[in-house]
Amino acid sequence: MSHRLKILLPIAAAIAGVTGTGVARSTPATSAVDARSPFLGDWELDLTRMPANYGPPPKRVLYRFQDIGNGRWRTSVDITAQDGSVRHMTVAYRPDGTAAPGEGEKSEADSAAILLPAPNVMVMNLARDRMQGSVRVYTLAPDGREMTEAAANVDDKGQPFVRTFHFRRVA
């Protein structure tokens, strides 16, 4: 296991509030996958609540989680820059923690592994060029109308950090 992964996985587990066995499990929690997940749908980043240390925000960020059948999901992310250009990324996967290749823009990641350890928690592990990228933990508010993302990574000096982003359900 890489040094970076050893740092990020415990952070992700702590953010999600799950034990190491919940994060390391190779099969998802049955109720999280078998029932219609509250994650499914479209989510827009709340630009009014960006972390102070993020820098200039994009114009728009839209996540779409879709059930594409046979236990598989598709996640699409569209990031619209201030100049109107759009970065589009998508990945089709089983939400069981196994790796799946990404498609589209790959400056941040070219593969992902996604796990649903609980119905309202999603852990997304991103990699690029076979190297650890970042770990994202998504949690849903009890009313299902807000999704919070805790994005864990390591900065250029090797220091771990976590930033929080807030999304609103739009569909």
Side-chain angles (χ1 to χ4, degrees), residues 44-45 47 56-61 78-85:
E44 184 172 20
L45 179 63
L47 297 172
K59 188 174 187 179
R60 183 176 195 219
V61 177
D78 290 309
I79 302 172
T80 305
Q82 289 296 328
D83 67 4
S85 62

Side-chain angles (χ1 to χ4, degrees), residues 8 11 15 134-137 149-153 161-165:
L8 292 175
I11 292 169
I15 293 166
S134 64
V135 175
R136 315 298 178 95
V137 177
E149 174 190 56
N153 209 334
F161 68 87
V162 180
R163 290 186 182 137
T164 303
F165 299 89

Side-chain angles (χ1 to χ4, degrees), residues 53-76:
N53 63 350
Y54 183 78
K59 188 174 187 179
R60 183 176 195 219
V61 177
L62 184 67
Y63 278 40
R64 172 173 285 163
F65 298 105
Q66 298 172 292
D67 182 338
I68 57 174
N70 295 322
R72 294 177 49 83
W73 284 26
R74 177 181 298 117
T75 297
S76 299

Side-chain angles (χ1 to χ4, degrees), residues 88-112:
H88 177 75
M89 298 138 281
T90 187
V91 62
Y93 56 92
R94 293 191 182 285
D96 63 2
T98 57
E103 297 177 5
E105 206 279 334
K106 296 181 181 178
S107 65
E108 188 165 350
D110 57 23
S111 62

Side-chain angles (χ1 to χ4, degrees), residues 16-69:
V18 296
T19 66
T21 57
V23 171
R25 163 181 14 183
S26 63
T27 58
T30 303
S31 63
V33 174
D34 293 345
R36 175 146 173 90
S37 173
F39 280 102
L40 298 174
D42 294 351
W43 299 87
E44 184 172 20
L45 179 63
D46 182 350
L47 297 172
T48 67
R49 298 172 69 188
M50 294 289 288
N53 63 350
Y54 183 78
K59 188 174 187 179
R60 183 176 195 219
V61 177
L62 184 67
Y63 278 40
R64 172 173 285 163
F65 298 105
Q66 298 172 292
D67 182 338
I68 57 174

